[in-house]
């Protein structure tokens, strides 16, 4: 018998229980520290001196903000000073570090600037912010870019009419985040079939802890979106779905991130189910302080024991709607083939 087994053999049950609970608390604290340390260490904190992944994240973030601005049905001329300035700063650092123009994230940034210029010219406006913020060479590349990675694409509501019979690939590839909806209310009955279908989403040990609050009251939606902050400039959506995860379903400290993983998987299933039901939707982040999360829960009567995962703005497709193109990375940037392992082992 080793020491641990000897202690377990003689210790009273109450002491063992207490020891197990202290041990779990210690593990809980350690894994939380691990999460916080990794996040603090590797997220982008300063553009100057940032690594390639961090710079690409920054380029993509600001380029997307620009294409989002371009997707409004009524363009706000000369919008986006902050996004354009930040994009220029990240592009300068990217070039300063010697990265080339061939990477898709950089091409996407150029394409977003080109789309911004074109949208203004189509309205008979000179995109004066661009020449104020970007150097001539970058602008020349942007305006001659034929990549069509960034900007907007137009979805026709009529193209969604056969969503119920589309194959998976067509349905998946045809889904875009839609932020402007057809006028008029959306009934709960219209949303329920998608919620029924999305129950098929897998979850850890089949715990099925995802919950959805349906909000159709415009005043309440506005209050929540004001706290959320990621839908400014768009009209109030006809419905807001609030996806949460019930923490009561979890057991171990090491499961700390599982509510978000299950919530994310559930949300994707729900987005596809809504698309299948010919409903337009846009996921909206729930990245907020604990205080704001509590405010949202209190406004909507969501139990404090649930975590907010995401909001979904939902409505009927309008006749036609502009959506950001939201480029995707090439597959080689996403997938590491087994050969990469071999190469990295050899070079170690
Ligand atoms: C978790 C999550 C949070 C998001 N938050 C916002 C948001 O706050 N505002 C917004 O306009 N779009 C938001 N989006 C939509 C993304 O911008 C969009 O999914 C992305 O650009 C890919 O485009 P697609 O959905 O059209 O394929 C969010 C998406 C996800 C998955």
């Amino acid at each position: 018998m080793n020491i641990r087994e000897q202690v377990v053999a003689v210790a009273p049950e109450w002491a063992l229980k207490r020891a197990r609970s202290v041990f779990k608390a210690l593990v809980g604290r350690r894994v939380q520290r691990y999460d916080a340390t990794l996040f603090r260490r590797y997220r982008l904190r300063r553009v100057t001196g940032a690594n390639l992944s961090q710079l690409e994240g920054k380029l993509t973030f600001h380029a997307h903000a620009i294409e989002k601005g371009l997707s409004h049905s009524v363009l706000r001329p000369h919008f986006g000073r902050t996004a354009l300035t930040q994009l220029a700063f990240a592009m300068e650092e990217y070039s300063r570090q010697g990265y080339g123009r061939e990477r898709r994230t950089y091409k996407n940034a150029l394409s977003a600037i080109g789309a911004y210029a074109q949208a203004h010219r189509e309205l008979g406006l000179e995109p004066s912010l661009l020449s104020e913020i970007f150097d001539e060479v970058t602008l020349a590349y942007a305006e001659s870019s034929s990549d069509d990675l960034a900007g907007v694409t137009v979805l026709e509501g009529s193209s969604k009419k056969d969503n119920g019979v589309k194959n998976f690939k067509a349905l998946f590839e045809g889904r875009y985040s839609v932020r402007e909806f057809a006028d008029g209310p959306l009934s709960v009955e219209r949303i329920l079939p998608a919620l029924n279908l999305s129950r098929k989403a897998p979850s850890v040990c089949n715990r099925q802890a995802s919950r959805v609050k349906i909000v159709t009251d415009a005043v309440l939606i506005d209050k929540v979106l004001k706290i959320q902050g990621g839908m400014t400039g768009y009209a109030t959506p006809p419905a807001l779905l609030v996806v949460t995860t019930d923490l009561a379903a979890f057991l171990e400290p090491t499961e700390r991130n599982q509510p978000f993983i299950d919530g994310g998987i559930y949300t994707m299933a729900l987005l596809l189910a809504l698309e299948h039901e010919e409903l337009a939707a846009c996921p909206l982040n729930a990245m907020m302080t604990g205080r704001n999360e509590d405010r949202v829960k209190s406004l909507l009567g969501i139990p404090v024991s649930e975590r907010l995962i995401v909001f979904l703005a939902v409505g009927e497709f309008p006749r036609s709607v502009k959506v950001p193109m939201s480029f995707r990375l090439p597959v080689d940037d996403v997938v590491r083939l087994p050969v990469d392992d071999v190469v990295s082992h050899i070079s170690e």
Side-chain angles (χ1 to χ4, degrees):
M1 254 205 252
N2 63 29
I3 294 181
R4 189 175 164 276
E5 286 163 344
Q6 285 174 25
V7 172
V8 169
V10 297
E13 191 50 36
W14 67 264
L16 289 176
K17 263 194 186 158
R18 177 94 189 102
R20 276 189 213 110
S21 113
V22 169
F23 179 71
K24 268 195 187 178
L26 281 176
V27 171
R29 225 167 293 154
R30 200 170 307 149
V31 291
Q32 273 166 14
R33 208 172 320 131
Y34 177 80
D35 291 344
T37 305
L38 283 190
F39 198 71
R40 194 175 52 239
R41 194 173 291 162
Y42 296 113
R43 78 178 176 85
L44 172 72
R45 282 145 77 98
R46 285 185 71 229
V47 169
T48 309
N51 65 31
L52 178 61
S53 304
Q54 292 169 328
L55 288 173
E56 292 197 301
K58 185 84 171 153
L59 293 179
T60 305
F61 177 79
H62 294 301
H64 182 62
I66 293 161
E67 57 180 4
K68 243 174 84 172
L70 295 172
S71 75
H72 288 266
S73 52
V74 180
L75 185 95
R76 188 163 59 85
H78 311 295
F79 73 91
R81 176 179 286 278
T82 307
L84 290 166
T85 307
Q86 295 282 323
L87 183 63
F89 187 40
M91 288 171 88
E92 274 165 32
E93 178 64 11
Y94 176 97
S95 304
R96 192 189 66 76
Q97 291 192 23
Y99 298 116
R101 292 198 181 90
E102 71 288 350
R103 292 193 64 82
R104 198 172 292 179
T105 45
Y106 191 85
K107 285 184 175 176
N108 177 62
L110 286 175
S111 179
I113 302 165
Y116 182 97
Q118 193 187 334
H120 280 76
R121 298 230 162 84
E122 278 168 10
L123 292 177
L125 297 165
E126 193 48 38
S128 49
L129 260 187
L130 294 184
S131 41
E132 202 184 299
I133 291 171
F134 292 93
D135 61 74
E136 275 175 22
V137 178
T138 305
L139 278 188
Y141 273 109
E143 296 224 37
S144 61
S145 156
S146 56
D147 287 321
D148 277 343
L149 285 170
V152 294
T153 187
V154 176
L155 294 184
E156 300 298 337
S158 58
S159 71
K160 303 292 176 180
K161 290 297 168 214
D162 56 350
N163 271 9
V165 293
K166 277 183 186 159
N167 69 31
F168 177 75
K169 188 169 186 284
L171 191 81
F172 193 59
E173 289 184 345
R175 187 208 59 80
Y176 283 84
S177 289
V178 175
R179 298 168 179 84
E180 292 179 338
F181 305 93
D183 291 337
L186 188 68
S187 70
V188 170
E189 288 68 35
R190 182 77 179 89
I191 308 170
L192 284 179
L195 290 164
N196 203 14
L197 183 57
S198 58
R199 290 176 306 128
K200 188 67 178 78
S203 61
V204 62
C205 303
N206 202 24
R207 272 177 271 179
Q208 306 177 59
S210 293
R211 303 288 176 264
V212 182
K213 173 90 188 177
I214 305 177
V215 192
T216 52
D217 178 317
V219 175
L220 211 46
I221 292 176
D222 280 343
K223 281 187 184 165
V224 172
L225 289 183
K226 198 165 171 213
I227 299 172
Q228 190 271 338
M231 189 69 179
T232 45
Y234 294 99
T236 309
L240 191 69
L241 305 186
V242 187
V243 179
T244 61
T245 304
D246 185 356
L247 297 181
F250 298 91
L251 313 168
E252 298 295 328
T254 45
E255 293 179 331
R256 70 218 180 265
N257 295 323
Q258 211 55 52
F260 300 101
I261 295 163
D262 282 8
I265 290 173
Y266 175 82
T267 300
M268 190 66 236
L270 178 53
L271 283 170
L272 288 172
L274 290 164
E275 179 77 19
H276 172 78
E277 294 298 334
E278 298 163 20
L279 282 170
C282 180
L284 301 169
N285 74 75
M287 42 197 201
M288 52 182 70
T289 59
R291 188 169 163 268
N292 279 345
E293 178 159 339
D294 287 345
R295 284 171 67 204
V296 170
K297 287 177 188 167
S298 143
L299 271 171
L300 301 178
I302 293 171
V304 283
S305 54
E306 294 179 17
R307 288 307 307 266
L308 297 186
I309 304 300
V310 75
F311 304 92
L312 300 183
V314 181
E316 298 287 357
F317 281 98
R319 209 164 51 81
S320 156
V321 63
K322 283 194 271 182
V323 291
M325 287 166 67
S326 294
F327 87 107
R328 294 305 199 260
L329 291 172
V331 71
D332 350 358
D333 280 9
V334 177
V335 179
R336 278 108 188 220
L337 295 173
V339 71
D340 289 350
D341 294 343
V342 177
V343 172
S344 67
H345 284 306
I346 291 169
S347 61
E348 264 169 17

